[in-house]
Amino acid sequence: VEFVRLTECLVSPGWRLNLEGTSAPGIHYNLSGHGRMVLEGHPAIELSPHTLVILPPNQYFYIEVPPEDPESRVSNEVEGSWKSFPAGAIRLFVAGEDRPQLMMICGYFHASYGTSLNLFSTLNAPIVEQFDNAQQIDRTLQLALQELIGQEVGTGAMTATLLKLVLIALLRRSLTSINLWVERFSLMGD
């Protein structure tokens, strides 16, 4: 894992958070609440607690929480793509003014195998897996986020190690998963 950038994403009912992808794959983990993630050209992804989503590079998407009134539509948006954070500041995207319904850790990373195999270079559709408390993915990503906020000696090594734990859990899951993403995952062919 060569780099990790993580932020908290909080979305209230009736709100949408618009985000652009970068040249690196995205990682998104739902800590609590329910909502959905919508990517261009793909079916919407229902988000429930402990849902892990890996996005292909350069993928525009948004995260939204439907309003509490089922007759209403999402009517408020926040553009997260252009937000910058000062050094040492808590990285936080907030869409909404009320108590957030959906709490996620979102970010980008680069991971390779050996010296040249980019693990997610051929990914053209999202990877979606449902975990539970036993794997402690939420705790691992929260620790990585705290490392990035703290910026202490060894932050890069520690966040990379923590993200490796998450990726290993995903690779282990791929050995038993019946989801189609396993067939498209470049490492599984090796």
Side-chain angles (χ1 to χ4, degrees):
V1 175
E2 294 176 24
F3 76 86
V4 181
R5 289 189 177 77
L6 298 174
T7 186
E8 284 184 286
C9 295
L10 309 176
V11 185
S12 296
W15 285 80
R16 174 180 296 152
L17 175 60
N18 297 316
L19 296 166
E20 274 185 9
T22 67
S23 60
I27 183 167
H28 307 276
Y29 188 81
N30 186 13
L31 297 170
S32 66
H34 296 271
R36 67 186 197 143
M37 179 182 284
V38 179
L39 295 74
E40 289 181 316
H42 299 283
I45 299 167
E46 294 301 319
L47 299 171
S48 59
H50 306 292
T51 301
L52 175 68
V53 181
I54 305 289
L55 294 182
N58 303 310
Q59 182 71 61
Y60 168 84
F61 67 100
Y62 61 85
I63 301 166
E64 68 180 10
V65 175
E68 293 170 352
D69 176 10
E71 306 272 325
S72 300
R73 303 184 97 161
V74 171
S75 57
N76 303 299
E77 294 184 60
V78 169
E79 286 296 330
S81 316
W82 306 107
K83 186 171 182 175
S84 61
F85 299 96
I90 296 175
R91 299 177 59 86
L92 179 67
F93 289 118
V94 178
E97 298 162 356
D98 301 329
R99 188 170 158 251
Q101 163 70 28
L102 186 67
M103 299 175 71
M104 299 184 72
I105 292 182
C106 299
Y108 301 95
F109 68 98
H110 185 273
S112 57
Y113 177 73
T115 58
S116 62
L117 180 60
N118 182 338
L119 295 181
F120 298 92
S121 64
T122 61
L123 189 65
N124 58 12
I127 295 172
V128 181
E129 281 295 325
Q130 187 66 43
F131 288 90
D132 58 34
N133 279 334
Q135 288 88 15
Q136 297 186 8
I137 304 285
D138 53 347
R139 181 73 181 128
T140 303
L141 287 171
Q142 286 171 332
L143 287 171
L145 184 60
Q146 290 304 313
E147 276 292 324
L148 290 168
I149 291 168
Q151 289 297 305
E152 294 184 35
V153 172
T155 291
M158 184 63 83
T159 55
T161 300
L162 291 166
L163 189 57
K164 284 178 188 177
L165 291 172
V166 174
L167 294 177
I168 289 169
L170 181 65
L171 291 173
R172 285 179 176 170
R173 175 63 61 89
S174 74
L175 298 175
T176 59
S177 179
I178 59 170
N179 292 330
L180 291 176
W181 69 265
V182 174
E183 295 171 12
R184 294 188 301 258
F185 194 46
S186 64
L187 181 64
M188 294 298 105
D190 188 338

